[in-house]
């Protein structure tokens, strides 16, 4: 009998990634799809590198959209940007505590808050757990954002809102996911590496990490 | 008319296209624009400027808490000016208060507020809230020129009897239960309000009516210039440049620290453990007082029913300042509340002790020795290791902490919404208050708070 060994493969996708964004995209093959649901229920944070450009505002918040307005940006300094980022982090930290559905009056809530382990373990609006500025060279800037339950369009909207808050406007030029839970850029396979051997070694390397993470979070 | 138009139209139909000057509408056919056209349109678009390079950050005042006393300074909360507005009993989140000048110092008393500015104009201090004991001076009523207002709903100027009104500046204000103190740079301290215990620094007059009183007393006799004034519930503390502390007012809990439990009506210097020590900060709000020296030691006197001074003595009243031997590091700032105390060390750690909701969860109700609040509750983490607490403040049963990033954290009993979190429940550990700006200073009262904020850009 001759013919291809694998006729059909069940492949499932992990957290969504836009057509305009790039980065780590987790796929489950065959029996691995069950692990995908478990990973989703762990509610781990994802890390993105978001590039932005001051001076323009478009309708879909990215630089390929229809121009809405052009503004000046020479009054923006790194210090002002860091201040806005600190405020965003503060309000999102508050949202993190509020959506985690724990009664704030208990001693258990206090202890979790001290350790920083309070996290929403169910559905919640997008929350940014940490945000910082990596590069700042007017008019471009780059941010690193750690977030939960987000979409890439939400991150572009955040860039737009940062521009508004600084009394100017901003568009998002690049969204790149560099970490999705336990999977980092180093584990990801490039387009040239999409062959059986590399996929097998990649699955083998990540197996242990995924299993420990699921056991730790879901008990 | 219609016939004439039809004739004209008929003449044009089938004729050559009208000359360009008479044509209306699109000159070229519409269609998807090419990349070059888009780029040219983008370059030709006008550039808007919302802020210039030298745009300054604006100073704002935010208030929140119980409204019916008028202490928030927004009259429409108590007496709505438009039909659709409803009287608001509590303002649960920060609300912006429009002020004419930049406010440099604010103080919240028991149902009233004082705001002061650093200006040399005639009007330097504004007051709002309860005025039943003339703690806001005499506010002349518009309806009857001989009477005064009992409740002031808007920030109203307080007329001070200054010798040089256009040169003196008001440095700081402080409010107690029914009296207030105003500190100026070269005309001493002005006191007004209730004086039944001598807290205004003048002799107690039997059966004096304090409401609608014009009397504002001036205090000048201290060993050197007064640099800080603090009001307790019914007593006043003055700190001078040389590091000495003076007190007057009610002393039944020993809060005047003068060695007796009687009333003092003239500011008298404190002795005890602080004699000869250079004190850099004094604090009080209820009946307990704390003082911090330049070497980082903390001294306490007054009420100790809630274990505030239980580390040195078993008695519930201490009438002489005692050194509190805490081994928590050099202390930078201290604040006293009604039942709990809070200190801030040089490293930026916050310690609490006393009774009530201290900020370490619902299980910690009372402690005599200071307990540290973990810095991770103030936003410190591996991602942000530079966050430090810069100031600590106390209300009657609430605590407030300001970080170096300009964030305000509050915790304690949420009496009539005074915490500003938006919820009515008590807060057992530090919780961020969302204020649209960087918080520079906050003043805590019994059931309301006032904050001075700088806008972001």
């Amino acid at each position: 009998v001759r013919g291809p060994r694998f006729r059909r493969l069940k492949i499932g996708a992990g957290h969504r990634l836009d057509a305009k964004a790039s980065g780590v995209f987790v796929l489950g093959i065959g029996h691995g799809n069950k692990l995908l649901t478990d990973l989703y229920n762990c509610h781990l944070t994802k890390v993105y590198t978001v590039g932005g450009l001051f001076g323009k505002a478009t309708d879909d918040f990215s630089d390929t959209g229809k121009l809405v307005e052009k503004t000046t940006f020479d009054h923006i300094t790194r210090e002002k940007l860091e201040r806005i980022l600190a405020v965003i982090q503060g309000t999102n930290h508050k949202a993190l505590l509020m959506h985690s559905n724990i009664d704030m009056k208990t001693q258990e809530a206090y202890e979790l808050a001290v350790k920083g382990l309070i996290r929403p373990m169910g559905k919640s609006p997008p929350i940014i757990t940490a945000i910082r500025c990596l590069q700042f060279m007017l008019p471009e800037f780059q941010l690193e954002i750690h977030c939960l339950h987000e979409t890439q369009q939400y991150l572009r909207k955040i860039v737009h809102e940062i521009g508004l808050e600084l009394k100017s406007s901003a568009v998002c030029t690049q969204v790149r996911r560099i970490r999705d839970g336990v999977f980092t850029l180093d584990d990801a396979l490039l387009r040239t590496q999409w062959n059986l051997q590399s996929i097998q070694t990649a699955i083998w390397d990540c197996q242990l990490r995924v299993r420990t993470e699921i056991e730790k979070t879901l008990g | 008319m219609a016939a004439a138009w039809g004739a004209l139209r008929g003449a044009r139909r089938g004729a050559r296209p009208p000359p360009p000057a008479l044509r209306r509408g699109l000159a070229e056919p519409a269609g998807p624009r090419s990349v070059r056209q888009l780029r040219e349109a983008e370059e030709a678009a006008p550039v808007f400027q919302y802020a210039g390079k030298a745009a300054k950050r604006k100073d704002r005042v935010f208030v929140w808490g119980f409204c019916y006393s008028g202490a928030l300074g927004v009259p429409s909360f108590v007496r709505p000016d438009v039909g659709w507005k409803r009287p608001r009993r509590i303002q649960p989140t920060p609300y912006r208060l429009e002020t004419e000048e930049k406010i440099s110092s604010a103080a919240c008393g028991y149902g009233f507020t004082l705001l002061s500015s650093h200006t040399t104009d005639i009007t330097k201090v504004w007051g709002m809230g309860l005025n039943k004991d003339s703690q806001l001076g005499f506010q002349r009523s518009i309806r009857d020129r001989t009477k005064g207002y009992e409740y002031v709903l808007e920030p109203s100027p307080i007329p001070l009897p200054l010798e040089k009104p256009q040169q003196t500046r008001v440095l700081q204000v402080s409010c107690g239960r029914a009296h207030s103190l105003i500190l100026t740079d070269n005309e001493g301290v002005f006191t007004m309000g209730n004086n039944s215990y001598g807290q205004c620094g003048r002799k107690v007059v039997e059966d004096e009516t304090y409401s609608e009183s014009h009397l504002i007393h001036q205090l000048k006799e201290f060993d050197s210039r007064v640099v800080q004034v603090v009001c307790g519930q019914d007593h006043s503390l003055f700190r001078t440049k040389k590091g000495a502390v003076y007190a007057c007012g009610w002393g039944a809990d020993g809060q005047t620290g003068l060695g007796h439990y009687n009333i003092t009506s003239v500011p008298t210097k404190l002795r005890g453990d602080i004699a000869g020590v250079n004190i850099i900060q004094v604090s009080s709000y209820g009946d307990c007082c704390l003082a911090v020296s330049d070497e980082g030691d903390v001294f306490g006197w007054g009420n100790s029913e809630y274990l505030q001074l239980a580390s040195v003595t078993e008695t519930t009243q201490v009438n002489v300042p005692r050194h509190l031997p805490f081994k928590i590091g050099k202390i930078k700032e201290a604040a006293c509340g009604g039942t709990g105390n809070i200190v801030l060390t040089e490293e930026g750690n916050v310690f609490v002790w006393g009774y009530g909701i201290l900020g370490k969860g619902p299980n910690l109700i009372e402690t005599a020795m200071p307990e540290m609040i973990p810095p991770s509750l103030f936003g410190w983490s591996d991602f942000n290791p530079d966050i430090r607490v810069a100031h600590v403040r106390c209300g009657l049963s609430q605590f407030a902490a300001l970080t170096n990033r300009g964030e305000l954290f509050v915790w304690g009993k949420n009496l009539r919404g005074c915490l500003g979190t938006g919820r009515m429940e008590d807060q057992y550990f530090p919780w961020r208050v969302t204020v649209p700006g960087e918080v520079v200073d906050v003043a805590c009262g019994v059931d309301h708070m006032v904050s001075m904020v700088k806008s972001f850009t």
Side-chain angles (χ1 to χ4, degrees):
Chain A
V1 176
R2 286 165 60 174
R5 181 163 179 164
F6 297 103
R7 283 193 160 268
R8 279 191 202 285
L9 267 182
K10 282 204 171 61
I11 295 189
H15 295 112
R16 282 197 201 125
L17 199 61
D18 267 355
K20 280 190 268 191
S22 60
V24 175
F25 187 39
V26 179
L27 297 164
I29 305 181
H31 290 294
N33 290 319
K34 294 188 206 118
L35 291 172
L36 271 183
T37 34
D38 289 334
L39 271 180
Y40 179 75
N41 293 333
C42 280
H43 300 286
L44 299 166
T45 57
K46 296 178 235 13
V47 182
Y48 287 82
T49 324
V50 175
L53 192 71
F54 283 122
K56 244 170 69 158
T58 53
D59 58 348
D60 67 347
F61 312 133
S62 76
D63 52 349
T64 50
K66 190 174 98 134
L67 180 73
V68 167
E69 194 181 61
K70 280 202 325 197
T71 57
T72 60
F73 48 83
D74 49 357
H75 62 278
I76 302 178
T77 61
R78 187 165 186 150
E79 192 204 300
K80 286 186 189 168
L81 181 66
E82 307 245 311
R83 224 181 281 146
I84 303 283
L85 295 182
V87 163
I88 293 178
Q89 211 172 335
T91 44
N92 275 276
H93 185 68
K94 207 167 128 173
L96 192 71
L97 298 178
M98 291 212 311
H99 285 284
S100 60
N101 279 341
I102 303 184
D103 187 9
M104 289 299 149
K105 293 193 179 166
T106 55
Q107 183 67 17
E108 178 201 327
Y110 165 71
E111 261 145 40
L112 285 175
V114 171
K115 282 188 234 152
L117 290 180
I118 292 194
R119 232 174 39 219
M121 292 308 271
K123 274 197 186 296
S124 86
I127 297 182
I128 295 179
T129 53
I131 183 169
R132 71 170 161 197
C133 178
L134 293 174
Q135 281 173 39
F136 183 79
M137 182 79 67
L138 279 179
E140 295 168 354
F141 63 100
Q142 205 179 51
L143 306 171
E144 182 188 315
I145 306 184
H146 298 235
C147 39
L148 275 178
H149 305 155
E150 82 305 336
T151 54
Q152 283 78 43
Q153 192 60 14
Y154 179 76
L155 295 175
R156 292 191 193 101
K157 191 171 163 196
I158 292 280
V159 169
H160 174 250
E161 281 175 5
I162 289 175
L164 289 181
E165 196 65 49
L166 286 165
K167 298 212 180 110
S168 176
S169 50
V171 289
C172 175
T173 44
Q174 180 209 39
V175 176
R176 189 172 184 232
R177 190 190 274 159
I178 54 181
R179 201 192 142 94
D180 185 343
V182 274
F183 301 96
T184 57
L185 269 183
D186 305 322
D187 308 320
L189 294 172
L190 298 174
R191 182 69 181 84
T192 49
Q193 292 170 317
W194 288 7
N195 48 47
L196 184 60
Q197 200 54 43
S198 327
I199 295 177
Q200 269 187 329
T201 36
I203 296 178
W204 194 253
D205 292 333
C206 295
Q207 233 176 19
L208 187 62
R209 264 185 287 162
V210 169
R211 216 168 344 166
T212 42
E213 186 61 45
I214 292 181
E215 268 168 25
K216 197 171 74 165
T217 318
L218 296 178
Chain B
M1 195 55 123
W5 274 117
L8 256 179
R9 280 263 188 86
R12 293 214 173 209
R13 207 174 288 150
R16 54 176 165 72
L22 290 174
R23 256 197 279 178
R24 289 180 298 147
L26 303 170
E28 287 129 28
R33 295 159 116 187
S34 71
V35 174
R36 193 173 66 94
Q37 277 180 322
L38 282 170
R39 201 176 58 230
E40 278 170 2
E42 205 177 291
E43 267 152 38
V47 179
F48 292 88
Q49 185 182 48
Y50 293 106
K53 255 191 134 148
K56 289 205 187 63
R57 293 166 74 184
K58 301 189 192 35
D59 301 290
R60 303 207 163 113
V61 175
F62 283 84
V63 293
W64 61 91
F66 185 61
C67 315
Y68 280 170
S69 57
L72 298 190
V74 184
S76 58
F77 285 167
V78 184
R79 296 237 164 166
D81 44 0
V82 187
W84 57 265
K85 282 192 193 164
R86 285 286 165 94
R88 216 183 282 205
R89 183 172 161 256
I90 287 175
Q91 173 56 36
T93 46
Y95 187 92
R96 186 159 148 220
L97 180 69
E98 303 264 348
T99 51
E100 288 134 21
E101 299 265 352
K102 179 191 169 204
I103 301 294
S104 59
S105 165
C108 293
Y110 288 40
F112 65 105
T113 319
L114 278 184
L115 304 171
S116 80
S117 157
H118 219 66
T119 171
T120 46
D121 290 349
I122 308 277
T123 325
K124 301 171 211 285
V125 189
W126 294 264
M128 53 251 206
L130 279 180
N131 199 23
K132 291 201 166 172
D133 288 301
S134 301
Q135 53 261 62
L136 306 175
F138 184 72
Q139 301 289 336
R140 201 180 290 273
S141 164
I142 295 179
R143 261 187 259 186
D144 183 351
R145 305 289 298 176
T146 53
K147 293 209 172 41
Y149 282 128
E150 268 191 347
Y151 289 89
V152 179
L153 298 181
E154 227 184 5
S156 309
I158 297 179
L160 294 174
L162 294 165
E163 272 173 22
K164 301 198 174 111
Q166 282 169 327
Q167 285 170 32
T168 321
R169 286 184 200 265
V170 170
L171 297 176
Q172 195 216 328
V173 283
S174 186
C175 303
R177 182 187 61 88
H179 72 296
S180 24
L181 302 177
I182 300 174
L183 173 65
T184 58
D185 55 353
N186 47 20
E187 292 204 30
V189 182
F190 289 90
T191 67
M192 45 205 198
N194 193 309
N195 195 41
S196 28
Y197 307 111
Q199 61 262 51
C200 286
R202 55 187 170 91
K203 199 150 160 303
V204 181
V205 174
E206 286 263 337
D207 296 327
E208 183 180 352
T209 32
Y210 297 108
S211 79
E212 296 172 10
S213 155
H214 283 84
L215 186 56
I216 299 184
H217 189 64
Q218 189 178 16
L219 291 168
K220 276 185 172 179
E221 294 87 34
F222 297 95
D223 63 350
S224 51
R225 205 157 65 84
V226 179
V227 283
Q228 190 193 356
V229 286
V230 167
C231 286
Q233 191 163 358
D234 282 309
H235 70 291
S236 312
L237 296 169
F238 309 86
R239 174 173 71 87
T240 61
K241 202 160 167 172
K242 287 198 181 153
V245 179
Y246 286 73
C248 65
W250 202 40
D253 277 327
Q255 58 262 57
T256 44
L258 296 169
H260 56 76
Y261 293 110
N262 308 328
I263 290 176
T264 319
S265 50
V266 172
T268 324
K269 198 166 177 166
L270 266 69
R271 302 187 54 79
D273 284 359
I274 59 174
V277 178
N278 185 12
I279 301 287
I280 55 164
Q281 199 233 336
V282 192
S283 167
S284 174
Y285 200 67
D287 289 327
C288 178
C289 313
L290 285 181
V292 178
S293 73
D294 55 352
E295 298 186 357
D297 298 315
V298 68
F299 301 83
W301 64 97
N303 193 3
S304 182
E305 285 168 14
Y306 302 101
L307 309 178
Q308 291 111 319
L309 307 172
S311 51
V312 281
T313 171
E314 289 275 319
T315 54
T316 49
Q317 275 89 15
V318 177
N319 59 4
V320 174
R322 296 285 303 271
H323 174 236
L324 302 175
F326 296 142
K327 303 265 181 302
I328 52 181
K330 206 170 146 191
I331 292 173
K332 205 164 71 158
E333 205 177 2
C336 268
T339 58
N341 296 342
I342 183 171
V343 289
L344 174 68
T345 58
E346 289 275 319
E347 296 107 54
N349 292 327
V350 172
F351 288 82
V352 286
W353 76 100
Y355 172 84
I357 301 178
L358 296 176
K360 290 193 69 154
N363 288 359
L364 188 70
I365 295 287
E366 59 176 7
T367 167
M369 295 305 291
E371 302 257 343
M372 183 165 101
I373 296 193
S376 55
L377 289 173
F378 295 113
W380 182 93
S381 68
D382 299 323
F383 207 75
N384 303 313
D386 316 318
I387 292 197
R388 297 260 178 291
V389 176
H391 298 284
V392 283
R393 302 270 182 266
C394 234
L396 200 64
S397 42
Q398 313 87 20
F399 299 90
L402 292 173
T403 59
N404 53 2
R405 291 263 188 104
E407 293 183 313
L408 173 64
F409 287 84
V410 292
W411 65 99
K413 241 185 141 24
N414 197 1
L415 192 59
R416 297 186 276 268
C418 60
L419 289 184
T421 52
R423 307 196 323 257
M424 287 294 132
E425 299 133 16
D426 301 335
Q427 185 57 35
Y428 290 92
F429 57 91
W431 188 263
R432 233 182 223 97
V433 176
T434 327
V435 179
E438 200 180 299
V439 183
V440 172
D441 201 4
V442 70
C444 305
V446 171
D447 53 10
H448 71 293
M449 281 198 207
V450 170
S451 61
M452 280 155 301
V453 168
K454 258 184 139 65
S455 71
F456 288 127
T457 41

